[in-house]
Each structure stands twice: as C-alpha cells, then as structure tokens.
Amino acid sequence: MSQREWVEKDYYAELGVSKSATQDEIRKAYRKLARENHPDSNPGNTAAEEKFKRISEANDVIGDPAKRKEYDEFRAMVSSGGGFGGFRPGGAGGPGGATFTTGGADFDLGDLFGGAGGGAGGFSDLFGGLFNQARGGGGGAGRTQARRPRGGQDVETALTLTFREAALGETVQIKVSSASPCLTCHGSGARPGTSPKVCGTCHGAGVTQRTQGAFGFAEPCADCGGTGSTIDDPCPDCTGSGVTHRNRNVNVKVPAGVEDGQRIRVTGQGEAGFRGAPSGDLYVTVTVRKDEVFTRDGADLFVDLPVSYPELVRGAQVSVPTLTGRVTVKVPAGSRDGQILRVRGRGIARKSGTGDLKVTLRVATPPAGMAEAELAAYDDALRAAGYDPRADWAGSS
Ligand code: ZN
C-alpha cells in the first residue's frame, strides 16, 4: 500500500470513529462493520464487498498502534505543511515542481495536494520555489526533481508606440524598475573578492534527506536555503541575495508590424533570480497610437487620397505618402469615388511578408462659388451630351 493513498483515505471516517479513539474502540467498530459487510452474509452485494475491503484496510493501519502513529504523523504533516521544516524561500516560488520519496516511490506534491484538497495551494506555493531553487543551486539532488531552476519572476510592463514606430519596428529603450542583479557582486551575493562556498551540510545538492516514520523526504537544505552554497562574507549592497531593486534600461526590439495589444517578450529581463539563478522574462504590452494619415490591417497599409472630380474623370498622377517616402500613383481615367488602388509591396514589412499600400480615392468638392461660371457651363455641356448621373441608379424608378 502506498502512502499516497494515506493522503486520500480517512481511515477514521471509514470505521466511523474519532481520531482520538482508543485501540479498543477502533477494534469494536471494525468488528461490527466487518460482520455487517462480510461477503458471506452479503452474497452478490458489491457495495458491501467494497466496504468490507475498505474497513479491512483501515483496520490494518489504524488497528495497529505503530502503523497508526505513522499514519497520523503523515497526515498531520501533509495537512499542515509544517512538517517539511517550516522553511520559507526568499521569493515566491513558481508552480510546484516538488517530489519527495516514500519508501522508494516518488510522487509529486502538486499531484498529491490536488487530490487532498483544502490548503493544498498554499503548501504547493510555499515549497514549489524551494525545490526549484535546489536544482538551480546544486543539481544532482538525489531523487528530488525540479521542473526548472528557481529563477526570478516575470515582469509586465507597457509601451506606447506611434503608428509609424510600430509599423516600421525599432529598438526602444525602456526603464524597468525591478529586482535586478546586484551590480556590486554581479548576482553572486558574495562580497567582491570572495566567492560562495559549497554548502557543507548538503554538499551542494541544496537538499537534505530527512526520515519521518518510515519515509525519507528530500527537503531544502536549511543551512543554505536550498541554494547548495553558503556565503561567509555577504555582499554589503545586497546582503547576500545577489539582488537589488533598481531602475534598469532595457532595450526592447519591437518587430515591424507589431499590433496594438500585442505582448513582446524580452528574455531574461524580468526580476533577477536569487544569487545568480536565472532571471524571469520581461513582457511588454504594446499600445499603438492612431496615425493622421495611415490605418492598417495586418501588413496592409491604407491611405485615403483626396482627388478632384476632373482628376477622376481624366486620370492623374498623384504623389502619395508611404512609410518610407512618397510614391507617385496613377489614377486611371474614368476612376470612381471610393475605388482602391493598390501599390504592391509598400505596406508593412513584417517577418511573415510585406503588405501592400491601398489607396482609396475620395472625391473632394470645391467650395461653393468657386469657378461658378465654368461649372455652370460644364453642367450644361454634360446635360447637352445626354449625361444623367442617376441614369443607372436603382433609386431612380
Ligand atoms: Zn551584491
């Protein structure tokens, strides 16, 4: 029977006795239930058969004073978390990556507490970081396994870019105020000129083995805080943590065509890890400002081009802005208002491909009264030629 089951099973409840029941009370309760559920008196009753197995198992453990003591200790330890040494890491740990050993079978704390319910989260939080740290500090930590070294936390920040900065991409320097590697000791935590020493207690493993009842536990070394090293002469500026809180300038490489709301990850620029453990990452959420001229959709760039009516009718060559200088666009004779002209390859040069510039023709109206006589003559001429702007209009009839 594995001790994993001990977490999930309440043998006292199974036998209907209190945790403080005497051995005599437990024996009596078991005998009564065993009689009631015995397969011989319940042929074909699988529920009774199951119950019989469970009470037998319960009796095997709490009916035996020595086993009962182990069971009680184990359950108390698991439910309180205190039995692991009451040690708390300097920083909040990541997701639990802790395992411990019981008589040869490894099992996962996160897993275990998932099944145990209440209070599990806190426990996992408390120890997740420790075991990770142990790996970072020393590796080779016996049976203790960590999913990743305990590093610094990720940091979130925001960055506002102009439309053009976002479209073209550029390296932007931003200020980050966070836990950073100590400049004095370069993150080692040791006074300059000295070095951390391998911890004499855990020999660099960062974990020690402890026996509790029948089980061996790997737990973070209390003498080195799970780092595997000790510092005799701490750095005066960071008091040995290797971490100081300060402002840093971080260069953020903004890719061309970044979208509003997109997050850019800057690896290793989050909070510094304890005593040189890897830093977290920096996540920069981008806000892109609107532009007076351009809008965009993915890699395509859009611009509205004001044109006169004669330019639409007769055609024209018009200068149009792009992100990188101007181009001349040919408006074909007979173009219509709202028509879109495409200029290939003058959109946004994203990694995934370069978009087009899409030019929407917008007819502009001259102020009333301008060239009045000429417009009247022009109007008359169109009518004389038989032009009716509403001739093909569905709304006419
Ligand atoms: Zn320092």
Side-chain angles (χ1 to χ4, degrees), residues 130-216:
L130 279 179
F131 285 86
N132 288 337
Q133 180 179 321
R135 172 76 165 273
R143 307 190 65 124
T144 299
Q145 295 167 359
R147 292 192 184 101
R148 63 184 173 100
R150 176 192 163 204
Q153 298 288 295
D154 293 337
V155 173
E156 295 273 354
T157 189
L159 173 65
T160 300
L161 298 170
T162 66
F163 182 92
R164 287 165 207 239
E165 284 170 337
L168 293 169
E170 64 174 56
T171 298
V172 181
Q173 192 172 74
I174 62 170
K175 268 199 164 41
V176 176
S177 176
S178 83
S180 309
C182 175
L183 292 172
T184 309
C185 64
H186 304 289
S188 77
R191 182 185 289 272
T194 71
S195 309
K197 288 195 312 191
V198 173
C199 175
T201 307
C202 66
H203 307 291
V207 290
T208 49
Q209 297 292 327
R210 187 168 61 86
T211 306
Q212 174 91 28
F215 323 110

Side-chain angles (χ1 to χ4, degrees), residues 87-125:
F87 180 91
R88 195 175 172 80
T99 59
F100 59 97
T101 59
T102 64
D106 279 22
F107 60 101
D108 190 357
L109 274 184
D111 203 322
L112 195 154
F113 285 96
F123 191 86
S124 179
D125 285 348

Side-chain angles (χ1 to χ4, degrees), residues 307 312-313 331-340 360-363 389 392:
V307 288
L312 282 183
V313 177
V331 179
S335 294
R336 304 180 68 135
D337 181 52
Q339 193 170 323
I340 295 172
T360 306
L361 304 176
R362 301 286 186 204
V363 72
D392 297 328

Side-chain angles (χ1 to χ4, degrees), residues 150 222 305 350:
R150 176 192 163 204
L305 176 65
R350 296 211 290 199

Side-chain angles (χ1 to χ4, degrees), residues 10 40-42 52 77 116 150 207 211 239-240 273 281 303 330 334 376:
D10 186 344
D40 288 353
S41 34
N42 298 274
F52 185 78
M77 186 163 56
R150 176 192 163 204
V207 290
T211 306
T239 63
D281 295 332
V303 62
K330 181 174 184 268

